């Protein structure tokens, strides 16, 4: 099973990072308030970053590494030519 690491831009301009085997399904769960608690006070706007090809372990490690980044570092990651969505 292939896992992906993704970042979602939220309605309050924050950035949420998560992992899933089906990012579209997970985005819908977040939008319907059945996903992460993070989205109880905000709505997901769009997926802005996607990194495919992970197994569960490497996806979790990459998610943790991205979550440790500052907002500025996350924005730099978004500017990289690979894995860019928006």
């Amino acid at each position: 099973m292939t896992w992906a690491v993704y970042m979602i831009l939220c309605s309050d301009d924050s950035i949420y990072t998560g992992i899933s085997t089906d990012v579209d399904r997970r985005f819908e769960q977040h939008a319907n308030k059945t996903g992460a608690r993070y989205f109880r006070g905000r709505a997901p706007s769009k997926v802005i970053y996607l990194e495919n090809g992970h197994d569960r372990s490497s996806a979790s490690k990459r998610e943790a590494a991205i979550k440790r980044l500052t907002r500025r570092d996350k924005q730099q990651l978004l500017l990289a030519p690979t894995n860019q969505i928006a």
Side-chain angles (χ1 to χ4, degrees), residues 23-56:
V23 175
D24 293 331
R25 174 188 49 81
R26 192 65 176 144
F27 184 88
E28 287 301 316
Q29 288 175 330
H30 293 317
N32 294 327
K33 308 287 190 225
T34 58
R37 270 189 258 160
Y38 188 81
F39 291 101
R40 287 188 184 162
R42 59 188 57 86
S45 296
K46 64 180 178 175
V47 176
I48 57 172
Y49 181 81
L50 184 61
E51 201 175 281
N52 289 304
H54 289 276
D55 60 26
R56 177 74 166 92

